[in-house]
Amino acid sequence: MPIAQQLAHQHTVELTPTAPFLFDATFHKPDHFPSADTTWEQGVRWQTMRWLGLRLGLVFRNQGTVDAPCLALEVWAQEPLPQAGRAAMVTEIRYRYNFDLDLAPFQEQFSQHPALGPILLRWRGMRPMHPGSLYEYLIIAIVLQNATVRRSVAMLHALFARYGELLHFDGQALYCFWTPEELAATEGQLRELKIGYRARSVLRVTQAFAAGQLDEHTLRAASYSEQRSTLLDLYGIGPASVGYILADVFHHMDEMAHISPWEQRIYSKLFFDVDPDTPVDVAELIAWFDANFAPWRWLAVHYVWEDLFWQRKNAPVDWLERLIRL
DNA sequence: CATCAGGGCCCTG
DNA sequence: CAGGGCCCTGAT
């Protein structure tokens, strides 16, 4: 069992994302399943982070506005961070949270768009991001596969409880991820966590990282097609998972190579207002996104999608409820 | 109770 | 390149 760690506050850094920056819609995605390494309330996000072998607790506090963004980042840890590591950590966080995304051309292209314009105005400054490492995203992608949300939550929690570590900081108790090197498990041991056939995927992906078969920072600098093929080479990682990763981790805002059946139904209703039970062909959907949203297909759909799920957070959206399996 | 499909992917033919 | 199988679970 993991040992709970009490972290002490180390220091606070000021962060300034590019404007416009919308704190809450960037730091909280109502469509994401709740995972025990993070929590959010308006203006604040708590997040654990595995970095340079350290287990960190991060607290982001909004101290700015959309047009003059400013965040205070509290770093909690057991040991003081070396001074040199601090700057590198800020660089890493800027990357992961997509703080340097230039939204101006996107805003300009779609501000007058009949459907997208008003949504863009409502969520101006929102951006996709992923707070964790590529490895950590892959684990999440694996537990998402072929499961209801409820079950994905249970699987990730079981993994955290067995291989992660519970960190206490700023009044929160959140799990921190394990590293590939730390997960010395057999397929059978993983199966005990009731993750089923995904045990093999978790194991093989973990081994690939531990063996140095791929490296996140190297991959960031690689071409889109190289990133895609490297990810697809991982056992248990297919087109659906890769699509999310290319957008959320590698920030490809025009990603739209794959649409899975459940998304196809929701897109059909959202963009064509047709019965989700007789959805628009995937090829037709992609062609339409091409014609209307390129070269920002992912980002445009992200805005519409998040807008929908924020609505749902406030009040159930009748047609949507049966299309998402909780 | 039994059956089935799921917020995919692998493997086979 | 189409289709069956896979861990489990909740829905029917």
Side-chain angles (χ1 to χ4, degrees), chain A residues 12-188:
Chain A
T12 302
V13 193
E14 189 177 288
L15 298 172
T16 51
T18 54
F21 177 81
L22 186 59
F23 184 94
D24 291 304
T26 299
F27 277 77
H28 178 64
K29 309 290 185 189
D31 56 312
H32 288 189
F33 75 81
S35 76
D37 64 334
T38 189
T39 188
W40 166 86
E41 66 183 42
Q42 191 166 356
V44 191
R45 173 153 173 160
W46 293 264
Q47 173 74 54
T48 63
M49 181 183 191
R50 213 48 211 274
W51 194 68
L52 297 182
L54 300 168
R55 295 180 178 86
L56 304 178
L58 305 180
V59 188
F60 296 86
R61 298 183 196 278
N62 186 16
Q63 300 197 325
T65 63
V66 171
D67 291 299
C70 180
L71 288 73
L73 166 62
E74 292 171 14
V75 180
W76 296 64
Q78 279 202 314
E79 305 292 329
L81 267 63
Q83 188 65 39
R86 295 191 188 184
M89 188 194 64
V90 168
T91 302
E92 180 66 11
I93 284 172
R94 289 195 74 89
Y95 179 86
R96 291 190 183 182
Y97 291 76
N98 218 348
F99 282 171
D100 292 305
L101 180 66
D102 180 10
L103 285 165
F106 175 68
Q107 294 279 349
E108 190 168 343
Q109 185 171 337
F110 296 109
S111 61
Q112 303 303 317
H113 189 282
L116 200 50
I119 293 175
L120 225 102
L121 200 62
R122 196 147 53 234
W123 302 107
R124 195 167 63 91
M126 174 174 70
R127 50 197 82 188
M129 60 89 160
H130 174 60
S133 67
L134 170 61
Y135 170 71
E136 290 158 6
Y137 199 114
L138 287 160
I139 298 299
I140 293 167
I142 290 167
V143 302
L144 277 171
Q145 292 166 12
N146 210 27
T148 58
V149 171
R150 182 191 205 79
R151 185 155 182 241
S152 297
V153 170
M155 288 190 281
L156 188 60
H157 189 269
L159 286 163
F160 272 140
R162 177 67 184 81
Y163 299 105
E165 191 145 1
L166 194 59
L167 305 183
H168 292 269
F169 64 101
D170 194 40
Q172 304 287 338
L174 297 171
Y175 280 104
C176 197
F177 264 94
W178 60 92
T179 65
E181 294 74 20
E182 287 165 1
L183 191 134
T186 63
E187 190 177 323

Side-chain angles (χ1 to χ4, degrees), chain A residues 203-221:
Chain A
L203 201 57
R204 299 268 296 261
V205 166
T206 299
Q207 287 166 344
F209 277 84
Q213 270 175 43
L214 72 167
D215 171 75
E216 176 170 8
H217 287 262
T218 307
L219 215 48
R220 282 182 194 170

Side-chain angles (χ1 to χ4, degrees), chain A residues 242-264:
Chain A
V242 167
Y244 299 143
I245 291 171
L246 287 169
D248 287 338
V249 177
F250 294 119
H251 307 159
H252 291 288
M253 296 294 99
D254 196 34
E255 175 60 25
M256 194 53 68
H258 180 81
I259 296 173
S260 55
W262 72 283
E263 294 168 324
Q264 177 194 10

